[in-house]
Amino acid sequence: EVQVVESGGELVQPGGSLRLSCKASGFSFSNHYMDWFRQAPGRGLEWVARILMKTDNYDRQHAAAVNGRFTISRDDSKNELYLQMTSLKIEDTAVYFCVRDGMAGGDLDYWGKGTLVTVSS
Amino acid sequence: ENVMTQSPLSLSVTPGEPASISCRSSQSVLYSDGRNYLNWYLQRPGQSPQLLIYLGSTRASGVPDRFSGSGSGTDFTLKISRVEAVDVGVYYCMQALHLPRTFGQGTKVELK
């Protein structure tokens, strides 16, 4: 069974840092692109970052709102995806979702339950 | 960025009746491979989004055939042939061609 499980979300002060993790299981993690999305309380969905595979030199891209502050990475040996978050702002408060790309044509098919990041003083 | 616009933003449907949601993108999501990179998701209350449709009209694994997607280029439609109680939630379209990935505002579907 395909599973992606996020962890690491917590309450952090503005300007602080946090690292989110996502543990994948039930599929060949190294053969899939992976994304992070987020959803602020009561709001819609927002794409955060994407990382490709080893064969793509782990190319990665980030949304403009987080570029320079957040960094997506992966460890294929551990089947884990990460999101390093620095200089956190109040507007980064959201549930963060780890998402698998099914590789059949933009099919972002498996979403974790999410981990809540709250940025507040 | 490719702006996605959904309509209506809310829908109240009698169980067993059909429902339809429209999604329009500001830029075409039809790629040179002939495929439309447009997904539909359902987010039930308190849950993470579930993929319903990808490539504009392909049902994801396990999705009932009462859900269908159609359209090409910039105009797309999600149809539910007979709404059931489990279909309640917020429906989002998302374009998967360009980065940043972008979503419509969401359409809240509830039962009458």
Side-chain angles (χ1 to χ4, degrees), chain A residues 35 37 39 43-47 50 61 63 97 99 101 104-114, chain B residues 35-37 39 41 43 47-51 54-55 60-61 92 94 96 99-105:
Chain A
D35 290 61
F37 287 80
Q39 187 170 37
R43 306 296 297 274
L45 297 162
E46 181 185 17
W47 172 77
R50 178 174 178 83
Q61 291 190 283
F97 297 102
V99 184
D101 187 325
D107 55 323
L108 297 165
D109 58 357
Y110 280 90
W111 295 58
K113 295 185 187 306
Chain B
R35 303 191 294 183
N36 287 281
Y37 285 75
N39 297 352
Y41 292 91
Q43 187 173 31
Q47 296 187 17
S48 52
Q50 174 195 357
L51 178 66
Y54 64 99
L55 294 176
S61 175
Y92 294 95
M94 185 203 84
L99 287 180
R101 305 263 188 258
T102 47
F103 292 85
Q105 315 96 302

Side-chain angles (χ1 to χ4, degrees), chain B residues 25 51 59 83:
Chain B
S25 61
L51 178 66
R59 271 190 302 277
V83 172

Side-chain angles (χ1 to χ4, degrees), chain B residues 22-43:
Chain B
S22 173
C23 176
R24 177 165 290 179
S25 61
S26 63
Q27 303 171 36
S28 175
V29 296
L30 175 61
Y31 190 50
S32 55
D33 61 5
R35 303 191 294 183
N36 287 281
Y37 285 75
L38 189 286
N39 297 352
W40 289 98
Y41 292 91
L42 165 60
Q43 187 173 31

